[in-house]
Amino acid sequence: MAWTLAEPVTSHLDIKKSRFIGCVQPVNSLAQAQQEIALLRAQHPEARHVCFALLLQGQARLSDDGEPSGTAAAPMLNVLQHKELEGVLASVVRYFGGIKLGAGGLVRAYSQAVSQALNDAPLVPIRQLETRSYRAGFEHESLLRRLAEQYDLTIQVDYQQQVQLTLEGEAAQLAAWFTQASEACSGRLQQEADSSSPDSDKV
């Protein structure tokens, strides 16, 4: 299961006179992530580096912002992936203290800045939703509505020659609903041609 954050979380580290300010926050788009990075640069004009790792819609974007390649953004991304996060931006602002940390020291520092921020982060599961359509007799409508509520499904009803039902929810819940609803309707519940449309939602 993938997770996102309920709210931004931050951390502060001081290592050999360098200061690392970490932030991990939920984002909904690349444009929002770019705005957040631009805001950080404006807030910290004297910082040497503003590195980030973004996980959004299954894609990753990284920037070491002048740090040696692979010593900042990649370790930050590893932490996000280990936590199974999605739709999040991790950024670390570094004020250089004049003492070089070496490649290993940088990897540890950037990893720790993100890990520390996430230690007590309020995580929210991301539900993978699908949409399916069915037809049934008018006499079964109220029963099917009650079952949809029981299985935590969103239902829309359209009245034609039969009742047209459009349900949205997790695949397992939809399958369980269909099994019980079909039995309750004595097999007269018909599923339309494959109308699944995977989506995601935060709960």
Side-chain angles (χ1 to χ4, degrees), residues 76-194:
M76 294 160 62
L77 177 65
N78 287 340
V79 175
L80 299 182
Q81 292 174 328
H82 180 72
K83 294 281 189 179
E84 298 182 321
L85 293 173
E86 165 63 29
V88 294
L89 169 68
S91 56
V92 177
V93 176
R94 182 191 181 189
Y95 285 87
F96 182 54
I99 301 175
K100 292 185 178 181
L101 303 183
L106 289 173
V107 168
R108 288 190 294 273
Y110 282 99
S111 297
Q112 186 178 349
V114 175
S115 295
Q116 185 170 300
L118 290 170
N119 277 344
D120 299 313
L123 301 182
V124 180
I126 298 177
R127 301 173 64 200
Q128 298 298 323
L129 303 182
E130 297 183 3
T131 301
R132 296 178 187 170
S133 298
Y134 306 88
R135 285 179 295 159
F138 290 97
E139 67 274 18
H140 299 302
E141 179 190 351
S142 60
L143 169 63
L144 297 175
R145 283 182 180 273
R146 287 198 301 273
L147 287 175
E149 182 178 350
Q150 178 182 329
Y151 284 100
D152 193 26
L153 301 173
T154 301
I155 184 170
Q156 294 181 337
V157 178
D158 185 27
Y159 301 98
Q160 300 179 15
Q161 291 183 337
Q162 290 183 298
V163 175
Q164 302 287 126
L165 308 166
T166 302
L167 282 83
E168 183 181 64
E170 296 180 34
Q173 297 295 89
L174 285 165
W177 175 90
F178 180 72
T179 297
Q180 186 170 350
S182 183
E183 291 177 358
C185 295
S186 301
R188 291 195 292 270
L189 176 66
Q190 296 178 305
Q191 184 171 352
E192 300 285 358
D194 188 7

Side-chain angles (χ1 to χ4, degrees), residues 4 25-33 54 56-57 87-89 202:
T4 191
Q25 58 191 307
V27 291
N28 296 317
S29 66
L30 177 59
Q32 182 187 358
L54 171 67
L56 184 65
Q57 297 175 350
V88 294
L89 169 68
K202 293 183 290 184

Side-chain angles (χ1 to χ4, degrees), residues 39-71:
L39 180 59
L40 280 176
R41 295 189 191 283
Q43 291 174 336
H44 300 276
E46 297 181 4
R48 178 72 66 89
H49 309 281
V50 180
C51 307
F52 71 84
L54 171 67
L55 272 177
L56 184 65
Q57 297 175 350
Q59 302 295 316
R61 285 179 177 259
L62 308 174
S63 173
D64 289 315
D65 194 33
E67 293 282 32
S69 179
T71 62

